Amino acid sequence: MLARILLLVASLSIPGALHAEGTAVEKAGLESRLTIYLAKGPPDACGPGCDRWIAIEGEVDQDAAPRIRRFLAGVKDMQRPIYLHSPGGNVEQSYVIGRLLRSRKAIARVGRTTATACAAGTQVDAACLKIKNAVGEVEAELTTRNAMCNSACGYLFLGATSREVAPDATMAVHNSRLVLVIHGHPPAKLLAEARQRQIETSNSQRAAFVVAMGISRELDGLIRTVKFESPHTLTRPELYRFGIDTRPLAETMWTLEKGARPFISKFAMMKKENGSAFRTMEWRLSCESRNRVPLRFAGEVDEATVGKSTILMAASADTNAEAGGLAVRLGKYEVWSGAVGSDMIKAILASRHLQVRENTPMPDGKADITRFDIDMTGLASVWTQLVASCSSATTGAKGPWPAIPLSNVSATPPAAPSP
């Protein structure tokens, strides 16, 4: 009976990517159609020994799945990572693409790709899109800072077998919005019943997809509670608990912060041994002063912690090159500031990892020792940029700590004392 009264087409839309408002997507620097292309960057651009990746960006449109399938069929390198940057879009298409990525055992990360040939314009103007859609690799740069994989994009991401969300990238979820296209004038009761059936169907499909991808049912339960208008950014504990990004230590890339006092910074979020909480840490290297380079470490600590920690950092290329000492408590953070010589800098730049050891006194008189490694990939190229920036920088006040306001960080401490 319902079929004789109305033709109902249901689709699921995502905030910021309304199909009727393509300009809203363009203002966000994203194309209103999902774009996929091969990208090539400098050495180690996408990790140790990795300089080539697949970029997927823009809105998930209603024809995205077959286009992505055709493209990936021509990519034989199954280990080439896929970097996603998307506000979302059509959910049904996202499910199809997500299952396609699962069949390829894809490696997925959240990151923004910038085509270097498009520097004079935007990344979504006609000239740049022509470059991205051409055959072959696109020379590009890659960053995770301010990258996003929101709403329907998350279902693409869940399809991958290896998933990484950097601390300075975001993944947001919310309940989908049901759009009904109606022909005729059906009774309100029948329309309400049809809407309810579509909502139940979409909820069932989402729950089945989440479970099939090996993700906790908690994620689906959370999505059901989040209004379409107010997306929820997943915290680091949620990403870990739901099984989305199960790394106990997640890091950002090394990033140059320009300004009157330029510096290089890296953030990391490390899971605490007890419970599911994560702590935030930052490393900074600043402009040289009298042939010595200011180095700073700051780590989040529990306010109830007794005593001050001792931090020791060693370059993996030369473990005799060490720096560190007693940290200073600043609110919920402990900060160590010092300066290292040229030999230490050379060792750091030649290292794959910075070996970190924290010694924290406990109430029972014993010491809690934590050891972990921080990835140094990409630091050498950013260091070159810092040296160039320092030569032209003017003396001024230091910026606030931390350099990047991460969504998982609830508060920031006051500026640390000068080294």
Side-chain angles (χ1 to χ4, degrees):
M1 178 179 178
L2 181 62
R4 294 195 300 268
I5 297 177
L6 75 159
L7 171 63
L8 182 150
V9 179
S11 64
L12 299 173
S13 297
I14 300 302
L18 299 177
H19 297 291
E21 300 179 6
T23 55
V25 177
E26 293 173 357
K27 288 179 181 179
L30 292 165
E31 170 65 6
S32 58
R33 183 172 180 265
L34 201 63
T35 302
I36 180 170
Y37 55 97
L38 300 176
K40 181 183 184 302
D44 300 329
C46 46
C50 177
D51 62 357
R52 288 171 166 83
W53 65 95
I54 299 172
I56 298 182
E57 59 193 27
E59 181 185 1
V60 185
D61 55 281
Q62 62 181 5
D63 300 315
R67 192 166 63 253
I68 299 299
R69 184 184 299 277
R70 288 192 299 270
F71 183 93
L72 292 178
V75 180
K76 305 306 179 184
D77 183 4
M78 306 290 276
Q79 294 301 307
R80 185 180 290 220
I82 297 174
Y83 281 84
L84 298 163
H85 182 47
S86 168
N90 186 288
V91 171
E92 287 91 348
Q93 293 289 300
S94 295
Y95 290 156
V96 176
I97 300 172
R99 292 188 176 96
L100 172 62
L101 297 185
R102 178 56 55 95
S103 70
R104 291 179 60 91
K105 297 182 179 180
I107 300 169
R109 299 165 187 162
V110 181
R112 291 188 297 120
T113 301
T114 303
T116 55
C118 304
T122 69
Q123 291 292 309
V124 295
D125 59 33
C128 188
L129 291 177
K130 184 177 180 180
I131 293 173
K132 293 179 178 180
N133 291 321
V135 177
E137 295 179 326
V138 176
E139 293 287 340
E141 296 179 352
L142 181 65
T143 181
T144 58
R145 186 172 182 178
N146 296 327
M148 64 178 171
C149 183
N150 295 342
S151 303
C153 175
Y155 303 126
L156 276 72
F157 190 75
L158 297 184
T161 54
S162 175
R163 299 177 293 265
E164 296 182 7
V165 183
D168 54 354
T170 60
M171 174 171 286
V173 300
H174 69 152
N175 212 335
S176 301
R177 183 176 67 176
L178 185 67
V179 179
L180 301 178
V181 180
I182 303 165
H183 297 272
H185 303 281
K189 181 180 179 180
L190 287 179
L191 183 59
E193 291 174 351
R195 177 182 292 275
Q196 185 58 36
R197 282 195 297 271
Q198 289 292 338
I199 291 175
E200 292 174 357
T201 298
S202 66
N203 286 340
S204 177
Q205 291 174 341
R206 182 184 61 242
F209 178 85
V210 168
V211 172
M213 295 301 108
I215 305 300
S216 171
R217 293 179 183 271
E218 285 187 82
L219 175 61
D220 178 63
L222 172 64
I223 292 174
R224 290 171 184 256
T225 66
V226 180
K227 293 182 178 180
F228 173 82
E229 298 79 8
S230 304
H232 169 74
T233 299
L234 295 176
T235 64
R236 182 57 50 178
E238 288 173 334
L239 290 168
Y240 185 88
R241 189 172 73 250
F242 297 158
I244 299 173
D245 184 344
T246 57
R247 294 175 298 161
L249 178 65
E251 308 173 43
T252 68
M253 297 176 174
W254 288 96
T255 304
L256 173 65
E257 302 294 333
K258 296 181 179 180
R261 294 286 295 271
F263 59 88
I264 297 171
S265 69
K266 171 192 272 285
F267 277 88
M269 301 193 76
M270 185 170 69
K271 184 178 179 297
K272 298 180 181 179
E273 290 186 4
N274 299 322
S276 60
F278 280 72
R279 62 185 294 241
T280 304
M281 298 173 286
E282 186 200 22
W283 287 260
R284 282 191 187 185
L285 285 166
S286 304
C287 293
E288 293 187 31
S289 175
R290 297 179 183 176
N291 297 321
R292 294 184 66 80
V293 178
L295 171 63
R296 178 179 303 169
F297 165 82
E300 190 176 14
V301 295
D302 295 329
E303 295 182 1
T305 300
V306 177
K308 300 176 182 178
S309 300
T310 299
I311 179 76
L312 181 65
M313 295 169 283
S316 63
D318 180 4
T319 54
N320 292 321
E322 297 180 340
L326 191 64
V328 176
R329 179 68 68 89
L330 293 173
K332 60 184 294 186
Y333 294 85
E334 284 186 336
V335 179
W336 175 86
S337 294
V340 297
S342 58
D343 290 343
M344 177 72 173
I345 290 298
K346 290 178 181 178
I348 289 177
L349 295 177
S351 298
R352 280 297 186 184
H353 298 95
L354 184 67
Q355 299 172 351
V356 183
R357 186 178 72 194
E358 287 184 282
N359 189 318
T360 305
M362 305 302 290
D364 59 3
K366 298 181 179 180
D368 178 45
I369 300 177
T370 302
R371 292 183 175 88
F372 56 95
D373 292 343
I374 290 299
D375 188 13
M376 307 303 283
T377 302
L379 175 61
S381 62
V382 182
W383 173 259
T384 301
Q385 298 175 38
L386 175 66
V387 172
S389 297
C390 290
S391 63
S392 59
T394 57
T395 303
K398 293 185 178 181
W401 194 100
I404 306 171
L406 303 179
S407 60
N408 304 65
V409 181
S410 58
T412 57
S418 300

